[in-house]
Amino acid sequence: QVQLVESGGGLVETGGSLRLSCAASGSIFSINTMAWYRQAPGKQRELVASIIRRGSTNYADSVKGRFTISRDDTENTMYLQMNNLKPEDTAVYYCNADRIFGPWGTMYDSWGQGTQVTVSS
């Protein structure tokens, strides 16, 4: 059974940095697409950044130039380096993985439990 676990969230001042991690555990051959989403109170969940297995990335306009998504496929782990953080970045950040391949078959959508990021103003 595959599990996604986020870590690295916390409280940071405006202009500071955080590095989020998402570790996929279980018997996994490969993962096609991994992505970070976030949801602030009273707002809908939005895509922050995504990365496919071959390395192509996509970023929300609001984080371009500040956030960097990466992945280590030998560890089945995804990262989000967040620099120059703003109060608007405050949200619960969720890890998502699509098309996870394992000896048990294929999973098409999976979510982590989320990690809180709070940027003080």
Side-chain angles (χ1 to χ4, degrees), residues 10-78:
L11 176 64
V12 65
E13 296 179 348
T14 297
S17 298
L18 285 172
R19 186 176 187 244
L20 305 183
S21 298
C22 171
S25 62
S27 184
I28 298 171
F29 293 153
S30 63
I31 303 172
N32 184 11
T33 303
M34 302 187 76
W36 288 99
Y37 288 77
R38 68 185 181 187
Q39 186 167 25
K43 301 184 66 176
Q44 63 269 34
R45 187 171 299 185
E46 64 176 347
L47 176 66
V48 177
S50 64
I51 182 167
I52 65 172
R53 180 172 173 81
R54 294 184 181 275
S56 296
T57 59
N58 181 59
Y59 295 91
D61 289 341
S62 59
V63 307
K64 286 181 179 178
R66 300 189 298 120
F67 291 9
T68 302
I69 189 171
S70 61
R71 60 191 288 174
D72 182 350
D73 291 332
T74 65
E75 301 290 339
N76 293 315
T77 301
M78 175 180 63

Side-chain angles (χ1 to χ4, degrees), residues 80-116:
L80 185 68
Q81 179 65 47
M82 305 186 295
N83 298 325
N84 300 317
L85 282 161
K86 305 175 181 179
E88 310 92 87
D89 297 318
T90 296
V92 177
Y93 284 70
Y94 296 92
C95 175
N96 174 268
D98 186 40
R99 299 182 185 178
I100 305 172
F101 304 97
W104 31 261
T106 305
M107 294 182 64
Y108 292 93
D109 193 33
S110 185
W111 292 88
Q113 82 290 341
T115 185
Q116 177 70 49

